[in-house]
Amino acid sequence: MIITEKDYVDKAEAAIRSHKSRKDRRNKPIAMVTTSKIRNLLAMASDICAEVQGQKEGQLSDELCGRIDYLKVRFLYEAGREDTVKNFVEDAHILECMNGIKGDKKNFILFSRYMEALVAYHRYLGGKD
């Protein structure tokens, strides 16, 4: 996992600051992902998180692991549809974080908290709809 309990908030802030400062080839600012789009991504993760928290410690059920894999597919799809989402997914290293879950309850809960931190910093640092 590329995030830990100790650094996920700092990494979320750095990711949003990086995302906000992106520039195109002509050095013009590139639009940030919208608040509604990032909140939709968070909502998908939160739906799974509610079920994950009901599981006992350790490995998640095959059904939940399948839902997490599908969540990754949805992130990829949304990133393929919009460049702003793709930039956000890349800047926040979302796919790497998801690969680090590996069916572990603690890792998924950490990922979910990271997503919440990303939304919070996005809003705090000027993300718009």
Side-chain angles (χ1 to χ4, degrees):
M1 201 72 175
I2 66 167
I3 54 174
T4 66
E5 288 285 339
K6 293 180 180 181
D7 70 3
Y8 77 93
V9 174
D10 293 335
K11 286 190 176 181
E13 179 183 9
I16 295 301
R17 287 189 186 280
S18 172
H19 182 63
K20 184 177 181 180
S21 66
R22 270 193 184 243
K23 305 234 187 279
D24 67 10
R25 284 182 237 131
R26 296 176 297 190
N27 207 28
K28 298 211 181 217
I30 295 176
M32 287 176 63
V33 66
T34 62
T35 300
S36 58
K37 186 59 79 172
I38 193 173
R39 287 190 57 77
N40 285 339
L41 297 172
L42 172 64
M44 289 187 281
S46 294
D47 286 344
I48 297 171
C49 191
E51 288 186 46
V52 166
Q53 289 178 336
Q55 296 277 303
K56 63 181 183 214
E57 289 299 317
Q59 291 302 109
L60 299 172
S61 69
D62 288 343
E63 178 188 348
L64 281 173
C65 288
R67 288 187 64 197
I68 293 167
D69 286 342
Y70 181 69
L71 177 65
K72 183 177 177 181
V73 169
R74 288 296 311 268
F75 273 74
L76 288 167
Y77 175 74
E78 293 298 329
R81 286 185 65 214
E82 273 186 58
D83 285 340
T84 57
V85 176
K86 183 177 183 178
N87 293 339
F88 168 71
V89 167
E90 290 172 355
D91 292 338
H93 304 284
I94 298 231
L95 299 178
E96 293 93 331
C97 289
M98 292 188 83
N99 288 337
I101 295 170
K102 298 182 180 167
D104 186 75
K105 178 181 178 177
K106 281 181 160 181
N107 288 345
F108 185 81
I109 291 171
L110 178 60
F111 170 74
S112 183
R113 288 181 183 162
Y114 178 60
M115 286 298 299
E116 290 174 12
L118 288 167
V119 170
Y121 272 108
H122 180 269
R123 191 63 174 163
Y124 179 73
L125 294 172
K128 305 271 189 249
D129 270 338

